[in-house]
């Protein structure tokens, strides 16, 4: 039998991973912020529209998605939008460098042990979960392609 390449094995594995479904209650999480000395907690933002964005420094589509999410955050944070980034990097140094290079201002944390990712089950990097004011996942975005920012922004506006 022919051996699997790493890419094929990853594809097979991710095809069996199902993201947290729309309509599900968003799992609680907390962790140390990537920058600053604060703890980030989803529970602290009850009553707000929250975007939880899973990303990694090694992820090429994340390089495109991060500035788009930053623009949306800047545009709607005064209307109550909260964005929390969740890096799945194994260490904070790579994540912190990536974050600074992209000029991101929304808070992010590193989920090195994948405990948060284990509850949300992001199928690809990036994966973005839009959570309504009641704590329900309303939209799940897998990956990032041209036009995704417009769709994401429209969904957020609808919930605000």
């Amino acid at each position: 039998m022919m051996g699997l390449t790493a890419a094929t094995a990853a594809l097979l594995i991710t095809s069996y991973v199902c993201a947290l479904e729309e309509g599900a209650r968003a799992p609680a999480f907390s962790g140390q912020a990537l920058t600053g000395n604060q703890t980030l907690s989803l529970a602290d933002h009850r009553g707000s529209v929250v975007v939880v964005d899973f990303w990694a420094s090694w992820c090429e589509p994340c390089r495109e998605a991060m500035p788009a999410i930053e623009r949306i955050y800047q545009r709607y944070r005064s209307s109550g939008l909260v964005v929390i980034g969740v890096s799945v990097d194994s260490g904070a140094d790579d994540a912190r460098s990536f974050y600074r290079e992209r000029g991101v201002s929304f808070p992010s944390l590193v989920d090195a042990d994948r405990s948060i990712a284990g509850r949300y089950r992001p199928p690809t990097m990036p994966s973005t979960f839009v959570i309504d004011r009641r704590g329900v996942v309303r939209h799940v975005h897998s990956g990032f392609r041209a036009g995704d920012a417009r769709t994401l922004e429209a969904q957020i506006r609808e919930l605000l």
Side-chain angles (χ1 to χ4, degrees):
M1 181 144 107
M2 184 186 270
L4 293 176
T5 66
T8 304
L11 181 61
L12 288 172
I13 291 167
T14 56
S15 68
Y16 291 101
V17 174
C18 297
L20 185 67
E21 293 184 10
E22 294 174 357
R25 177 142 311 277
F29 66 84
S30 65
Q32 183 67 34
L34 192 58
T35 58
N37 192 20
Q38 68 183 38
T39 298
L40 298 176
S41 171
L42 183 61
D44 289 344
H45 301 291
R46 283 195 181 112
S48 297
V49 174
V50 180
V51 170
V52 177
D53 182 58
F54 287 87
W55 60 277
S57 63
W58 44 261
C59 164
E60 286 300 319
C62 297
R63 294 181 186 283
E64 295 175 43
M66 196 66 75
I69 293 171
E70 174 67 19
R71 282 191 299 276
I72 292 169
Y73 172 65
Q74 290 298 328
R75 190 170 294 146
Y76 295 102
R77 71 183 186 171
S78 64
S79 299
L81 176 66
V82 173
V83 176
I84 301 173
V86 179
S87 168
V88 296
D89 283 290
S90 57
D93 290 341
D94 289 341
R96 207 173 279 116
S97 293
F98 179 89
Y99 208 63
R100 281 191 204 117
E101 288 169 10
R102 301 287 162 293
V104 176
S105 66
F106 59 81
S108 195
L109 56 87
V110 175
D111 182 30
D113 67 358
R114 309 291 197 284
S115 61
I116 300 168
R119 286 176 271 170
Y120 280 77
R121 301 182 309 274
T124 61
M125 287 296 121
S127 285
T128 307
F129 296 79
V130 181
I131 302 166
D132 70 15
R133 296 179 187 276
R134 295 173 300 141
V136 175
V137 175
R138 294 290 301 274
H139 304 284
V140 179
H141 294 265
S142 178
F144 189 81
R145 291 161 295 284
D148 285 355
R150 283 190 305 275
T151 303
L152 178 62
E153 184 173 357
Q155 292 168 339
I156 290 167
R157 261 196 329 264
E158 187 178 293
L159 294 173
L160 289 171

